[in-house]
Amino acid sequence: MEVSPVPTENELLSAVDALLNQVDQNDLPPPAERKRLREAAELSQTQIAQALGTRREAVGNWETGKTEPRPPQRTAYAQLLKGLAARFPAPDSEAAPEPSVPKTFTAAPAPAPSAPIAPKAPARPATSTARPSSTSRRPGAKRAAKATTSTAAVVDPRFENGPLAVVDCEDGQVSAYCVGGLVLDVPAKSLPALVDWTLAEAKLGQARLHRNGRDADPVLVLTPSALERYGLPAALSDEDRRAGRLPDSHKVIKQIKKAELQLTQLGFGPWARIYRDPEGSRRRCVQVCIPSWNALDAREWDHKDDPQIPSMHPADLARYLGTYAQLVITPRGTASTTGLELMTALRPPTRAEKDETTGNFERAFNADALTAVYDVVECEVPDEHPVLKGRFERHHMRTPDQMLMEEPYDWCRPLTDDECRNPYLVAVDINMSFAAAANSLTVGLDGPTHLTNRPAFDPKLPGSWLVDLSHVDLARVKVNGRTVDADRLPSPFTPKGDRPVGPAWYATPTVAYAVELGFEVAPIEAYVRLQSGRYLDPWYNRLRDAYVTVMADLGVTTAMSGHEFLDAMACSKSTDPTMALLAKAIKATAKGGIGKLRQRNRGQVPYYEPWPALKRETWRPDIRAAVLASQRVGIHRKLMKTAATADLYPVAIGTDAIVYPSPGPSPLDVLPYTEEGKPVPGTFRLGVSPGMVKHQGTQTVLWAEAQFEEAGAVFNIANLIKNDPTAGEGE
């Protein structure tokens, strides 16, 4: 199989002209519909921008409604959207009728949005507590709610109440809190009845993100009061927690079986999947999330040292998780697991294709996706992989010529005397650095091909190369005609920043960077993937858009100057704590999704025995290595530019945090700017977009020296310099 080439500008314009006739008007659909049409056609913003002769950012602004296209682009854009709408109609092309109120509904009408009614207690949520009649077995009317992150989209009538609901019980009445301030009365008296109500009446779920994908199952988040109402424990016992599930003897499990519902092999744990057999092509499955059983790991979804979710009002929790689902994808467990599932949702491995001979639809594979489990390469797998059984002595530590060691930076050095004259150390942190590294990255899609007999290096072939890069001397590299002090910079080829010694395995981006620096490379052998593509591009685009949208809701926008950005970031977490958690969860999704590509054995099976993750098409350590290599050399490229431009050198790097000596406490005191006050091209730039940097923290040089003296040696302090102690390490 070969990956379809990216269409050229002329091809795109020709395709538009071939699909469409003359249009009589150029009225545009709403911004959210513009985005839906583009994603349905699997076109990137860059492709549309190239076709229309504008910038990618402009297309993004058209899709969010920040700006509108002007002639002549407007006419061409309208023509394109009209053609796409004909090929990719909305799930329901007719306007959805206003929901009718059941005859048994006796409560007062829903309040107007301009006059929201405050809840009783807690006072945090911005939803009304007025309830529909308890006799109604249909969703109640919508309630007024505080304006939240803009997630307007074409509503699929099957899922008009959103992707999920937080189920709570108060004064004997069970309610389901949905996104947008909607609250539904729940008539179910048992957990099986709750599942059936969800499948039949709740209208919860999420439409597929790709036309060849599948709809997301509805998610019910059960609060402690709902657990009590349905006969479940508020917390798992030690034994059940170790097992990760309730025992089959539990009364609720018996109720589920009696109702002829089914559980997956994982049983009823923090994330449970309960289902009935499908009706034709329609899945009948509900996922149950139980936060008090640690379903939402505080390291990803909350603040580990100061958890917020346990005390969060159901309406706020629905807003948090519901907005995440609308912007990213319906949660599937940990943020890491969700990040991996997002890749598959945006790049489904298969599609239905009609057999012209029989007229039947058969399964066909998509050339731009990961479609099979392939043979692995010894150098790319972790130590416990079955393929290494018997290869090395027990407790053998593999060397760089035996193992691909593409990891983020963990590097530091002593300060020079001149650097000690600066009073401060300023740490800047790269926004969503792993996601940014995945952007536009070509990765392998098929299995490895072994190249022997000293193959020529080809930067277009993703994979692993055994090559000696010890001859690369940064002191000989010129950046804009200037050399750098190599002793004060880490090597770009090793995580510890040490200069390599002898042959070692490297991912394609690392070897390509050696060539970019002006050095010849002579690989000894390689394992490459002949079928390749930019598999992670839609994944990056969705996470980027989600993060930028949430940060804009927190008052941090892409158009801000450096001063404005720093001030807005300082206030962002107090602006809306719930949305601040959402921004953290999006970053954890990006970082964790990349990590899941090489998920290790977590003790499920003995050493050298296959573990469950190895059965996934998305267990691809080569792709993870390529992303991490791209992230590390991307940092080094900016380090070189900054050193050559401003004679400025880092003293520590921890994953994506870079520490510089500074005359002042602000990043504005140390990052290089032009005479016009703009960031020097190619250096670190303050901003909210992925790949740009923010202020992580400031400490004094005296503080650092005291740390070194106490430890008896210089060590990496990059992740100790934080203004926000709750911030995680690496994005």
Side-chain angles (χ1 to χ4, degrees), residues 693-709:
V693 300
K694 57 182 177 290
H695 185 201
Q696 177 174 283
T698 298
Q699 284 287 2
T700 65
V701 170
L702 292 177
W703 169 88
E705 293 295 344
Q707 296 291 317
F708 299 152
E709 183 176 352

PDB file of all heavy atoms in Angstrom, residues 693-709:
ATOM      1  N   VAL A 693       6.930  29.348  24.134  1.00  0.00           N
ATOM      2  CA  VAL A 693       7.305  29.141  25.532  1.00  0.00           C
ATOM      3  C   VAL A 693       6.520  30.059  26.461  1.00  0.00           C
ATOM      4  O   VAL A 693       6.018  31.107  26.060  1.00  0.00           O
ATOM      5  CB  VAL A 693       8.826  29.364  25.747  1.00  0.00           C
ATOM      6  CG1 VAL A 693       9.634  28.397  24.906  1.00  0.00           C
ATOM      7  CG2 VAL A 693       9.230  30.801  25.469  1.00  0.00           C
ATOM      8  N   LYS A 694       6.440  29.606  27.710  1.00  0.00           N
ATOM      9  CA  LYS A 694       5.853  30.408  28.775  1.00  0.00           C
ATOM     10  C   LYS A 694       6.844  30.457  29.935  1.00  0.00           C
ATOM     11  O   LYS A 694       7.834  29.718  29.956  1.00  0.00           O
ATOM     12  CB  LYS A 694       4.523  29.802  29.227  1.00  0.00           C
ATOM     13  CG  LYS A 694       4.605  28.358  29.712  1.00  0.00           C
ATOM     14  CD  LYS A 694       3.214  27.857  30.078  1.00  0.00           C
ATOM     15  CE  LYS A 694       3.236  26.390  30.509  1.00  0.00           C
ATOM     16  NZ  LYS A 694       3.523  25.479  29.396  1.00  0.00           N
ATOM     17  N   HIS A 695       6.564  31.310  30.879  1.00  0.00           N
ATOM     18  CA  HIS A 695       7.433  31.447  32.051  1.00  0.00           C
ATOM     19  C   HIS A 695       7.122  30.328  33.030  1.00  0.00           C
ATOM     20  O   HIS A 695       6.002  30.236  33.539  1.00  0.00           O
ATOM     21  CB  HIS A 695       7.203  32.815  32.703  1.00  0.00           C
ATOM     22  CG  HIS A 695       8.131  33.100  33.834  1.00  0.00           C
ATOM     23  ND1 HIS A 695       7.848  34.041  34.816  1.00  0.00           N
ATOM     24  CD2 HIS A 695       9.356  32.609  34.153  1.00  0.00           C
ATOM     25  CE1 HIS A 695       8.849  34.095  35.674  1.00  0.00           C
ATOM     26  NE2 HIS A 695       9.778  33.234  35.293  1.00  0.00           N
ATOM     27  N   GLN A 696       8.101  29.467  33.293  1.00  0.00           N
ATOM     28  CA  GLN A 696       7.888  28.398  34.262  1.00  0.00           C
ATOM     29  C   GLN A 696       8.219  28.846  35.674  1.00  0.00           C
ATOM     30  O   GLN A 696       7.537  28.467  36.631  1.00  0.00           O
ATOM     31  CB  GLN A 696       8.734  27.168  33.911  1.00  0.00           C
ATOM     32  CG  GLN A 696       8.612  26.046  34.939  1.00  0.00           C
ATOM     33  CD  GLN A 696       9.332  24.788  34.527  1.00  0.00           C
ATOM     34  OE1 GLN A 696       8.847  24.036  33.690  1.00  0.00           O
ATOM     35  NE2 GLN A 696      10.507  24.553  35.112  1.00  0.00           N
ATOM     36  N   GLY A 697       9.252  29.671  35.823  1.00  0.00           N
ATOM     37  CA  GLY A 697       9.608  30.122  37.162  1.00  0.00           C
ATOM     38  C   GLY A 697      10.943  30.839  37.178  1.00  0.00           C
ATOM     39  O   GLY A 697      11.686  30.841  36.189  1.00  0.00           O
ATOM     40  N   THR A 698      11.247  31.456  38.303  1.00  0.00           N
ATOM     41  CA  THR A 698      12.504  32.197  38.486  1.00  0.00           C
ATOM     42  C   THR A 698      13.055  31.904  39.874  1.00  0.00           C
ATOM     43  O   THR A 698      12.290  31.850  40.855  1.00  0.00           O
ATOM     44  CB  THR A 698      12.280  33.715  38.324  1.00  0.00           C
ATOM     45  OG1 THR A 698      11.828  33.978  36.984  1.00  0.00           O
ATOM     46  CG2 THR A 698      13.561  34.480  38.591  1.00  0.00           C
ATOM     47  N   GLN A 699      14.355  31.697  39.952  1.00  0.00           N
ATOM     48  CA  GLN A 699      15.074  31.578  41.211  1.00  0.00           C
ATOM     49  C   GLN A 699      16.361  32.388  41.109  1.00  0.00           C
ATOM     50  O   GLN A 699      16.767  32.819  40.025  1.00  0.00           O
ATOM     51  CB  GLN A 699      15.396  30.113  41.532  1.00  0.00           C
ATOM     52  CG  GLN A 699      14.222  29.300  42.043  1.00  0.00           C
ATOM     53  CD  GLN A 699      13.829  29.644  43.469  1.00  0.00           C
ATOM     54  OE1 GLN A 699      14.425  30.533  44.086  1.00  0.00           O
ATOM     55  NE2 GLN A 699      12.840  28.942  43.999  1.00  0.00           N
ATOM     56  N   THR A 700      16.987  32.604  42.236  1.00  0.00           N
ATOM     57  CA  THR A 700      18.246  33.348  42.230  1.00  0.00           C
ATOM     58  C   THR A 700      19.413  32.393  42.018  1.00  0.00           C
ATOM     59  O   THR A 700      19.333  31.187  42.293  1.00  0.00           O
ATOM     60  CB  THR A 700      18.445  34.097  43.554  1.00  0.00           C
ATOM     61  OG1 THR A 700      18.578  33.143  44.623  1.00  0.00           O
ATOM     62  CG2 THR A 700      17.265  35.022  43.843  1.00  0.00           C
ATOM     63  N   VAL A 701      20.504  32.946  41.533  1.00  0.00           N
ATOM     64  CA  VAL A 701      21.726  32.162  41.380  1.00  0.00           C
ATOM     65  C   VAL A 701      22.208  31.680  42.745  1.00  0.00           C
ATOM     66  O   VAL A 701      22.706  30.552  42.881  1.00  0.00           O
ATOM     67  CB  VAL A 701      22.804  32.991  40.654  1.00  0.00           C
ATOM     68  CG1 VAL A 701      24.160  32.281  40.705  1.00  0.00           C
ATOM     69  CG2 VAL A 701      22.393  33.251  39.210  1.00  0.00           C
ATOM     70  N   LEU A 702      22.041  32.508  43.779  1.00  0.00           N
ATOM     71  CA  LEU A 702      22.441  32.100  45.126  1.00  0.00           C
ATOM     72  C   LEU A 702      21.635  30.890  45.597  1.00  0.00           C
ATOM     73  O   LEU A 702      22.173  29.997  46.263  1.00  0.00           O
ATOM     74  CB  LEU A 702      22.263  33.273  46.101  1.00  0.00           C
ATOM     75  CG  LEU A 702      23.209  34.458  45.909  1.00  0.00           C
ATOM     76  CD1 LEU A 702      22.866  35.568  46.899  1.00  0.00           C
ATOM     77  CD2 LEU A 702      24.661  34.020  46.081  1.00  0.00           C
ATOM     78  N   TRP A 703      20.370  30.858  45.255  1.00  0.00           N
ATOM     79  CA  TRP A 703      19.551  29.692  45.593  1.00  0.00           C
ATOM     80  C   TRP A 703      20.099  28.435  44.929  1.00  0.00           C
ATOM     81  O   TRP A 703      20.209  27.372  45.558  1.00  0.00           O
ATOM     82  CB  TRP A 703      18.109  29.930  45.146  1.00  0.00           C
ATOM     83  CG  TRP A 703      17.233  28.708  45.206  1.00  0.00           C
ATOM     84  CD1 TRP A 703      16.516  28.265  46.265  1.00  0.00           C
ATOM     85  CD2 TRP A 703      17.000  27.771  44.133  1.00  0.00           C
ATOM     86  NE1 TRP A 703      15.848  27.105  45.935  1.00  0.00           N
ATOM     87  CE2 TRP A 703      16.132  26.778  44.639  1.00  0.00           C
ATOM     88  CE3 TRP A 703      17.444  27.676  42.815  1.00  0.00           C
ATOM     89  CZ2 TRP A 703      15.694  25.718  43.855  1.00  0.00           C
ATOM     90  CZ3 TRP A 703      17.016  26.614  42.040  1.00  0.00           C
ATOM     91  CH2 TRP A 703      16.146  25.647  42.558  1.00  0.00           C
ATOM     92  N   ALA A 704      20.471  28.553  43.657  1.00  0.00           N
ATOM     93  CA  ALA A 704      21.002  27.400  42.936  1.00  0.00           C
ATOM     94  C   ALA A 704      22.315  26.919  43.544  1.00  0.00           C
ATOM     95  O   ALA A 704      22.523  25.712  43.716  1.00  0.00           O
ATOM     96  CB  ALA A 704      21.194  27.753  41.463  1.00  0.00           C
ATOM     97  N   GLU A 705      23.193  27.861  43.887  1.00  0.00           N
ATOM     98  CA  GLU A 705      24.469  27.476  44.477  1.00  0.00           C
ATOM     99  C   GLU A 705      24.258  26.777  45.815  1.00  0.00           C
ATOM    100  O   GLU A 705      24.971  25.821  46.156  1.00  0.00           O
ATOM    101  CB  GLU A 705      25.359  28.713  44.650  1.00  0.00           C
ATOM    102  CG  GLU A 705      25.824  29.340  43.337  1.00  0.00           C
ATOM    103  CD  GLU A 705      26.744  28.432  42.546  1.00  0.00           C
ATOM    104  OE1 GLU A 705      27.262  27.455  43.118  1.00  0.00           O
ATOM    105  OE2 GLU A 705      26.931  28.688  41.342  1.00  0.00           O
ATOM    106  N   ALA A 706      23.264  27.220  46.565  1.00  0.00           N
ATOM    107  CA  ALA A 706      22.965  26.567  47.838  1.00  0.00           C
ATOM    108  C   ALA A 706      22.453  25.138  47.607  1.00  0.00           C
ATOM    109  O   ALA A 706      22.783  24.220  48.370  1.00  0.00           O
ATOM    110  CB  ALA A 706      21.931  27.376  48.615  1.00  0.00           C
ATOM    111  N   GLN A 707      21.651  24.950  46.552  1.00  0.00           N
ATOM    112  CA  GLN A 707      21.171  23.613  46.211  1.00  0.00           C
ATOM    113  C   GLN A 707      22.333  22.692  45.854  1.00  0.00           C
ATOM    114  O   GLN A 707      22.398  21.537  46.294  1.00  0.00           O
ATOM    115  CB  GLN A 707      20.191  23.690  45.029  1.00  0.00           C
ATOM    116  CG  GLN A 707      18.910  24.467  45.304  1.00  0.00           C
ATOM    117  CD  GLN A 707      17.996  23.763  46.276  1.00  0.00           C
ATOM    118  OE1 GLN A 707      17.787  22.559  46.196  1.00  0.00           O
ATOM    119  NE2 GLN A 707      17.436  24.512  47.208  1.00  0.00           N
ATOM    120  N   PHE A 708      23.277  23.211  45.057  1.00  0.00           N
ATOM    121  CA  PHE A 708      24.425  22.399  44.649  1.00  0.00           C
ATOM    122  C   PHE A 708      25.309  22.057  45.849  1.00  0.00           C
ATOM    123  O   PHE A 708      25.810  20.935  45.967  1.00  0.00           O
ATOM    124  CB  PHE A 708      25.242  23.142  43.594  1.00  0.00           C
ATOM    125  CG  PHE A 708      24.481  23.466  42.327  1.00  0.00           C
ATOM    126  CD1 PHE A 708      24.816  24.573  41.543  1.00  0.00           C
ATOM    127  CD2 PHE A 708      23.427  22.673  41.912  1.00  0.00           C
ATOM    128  CE1 PHE A 708      24.133  24.871  40.387  1.00  0.00           C
ATOM    129  CE2 PHE A 708      22.717  22.966  40.747  1.00  0.00           C
ATOM    130  CZ  PHE A 708      23.078  24.069  39.987  1.00  0.00           C
ATOM    131  N   GLU A 709      25.469  23.030  46.725  1.00  0.00           N
ATOM    132  CA  GLU A 709      26.319  22.791  47.898  1.00  0.00           C
ATOM    133  C   GLU A 709      25.687  21.741  48.813  1.00  0.00           C
ATOM    134  O   GLU A 709      26.383  20.858  49.334  1.00  0.00           O
ATOM    135  CB  GLU A 709      26.525  24.103  48.658  1.00  0.00           C
ATOM    136  CG  GLU A 709      27.454  23.962  49.862  1.00  0.00           C
ATOM    137  CD  GLU A 709      27.724  25.293  50.538  1.00  0.00           C
ATOM    138  OE1 GLU A 709      27.312  26.351  49.997  1.00  0.00           O
ATOM    139  OE2 GLU A 709      28.336  25.286  51.614  1.00  0.00           O
TER     140      GLU A 709
END
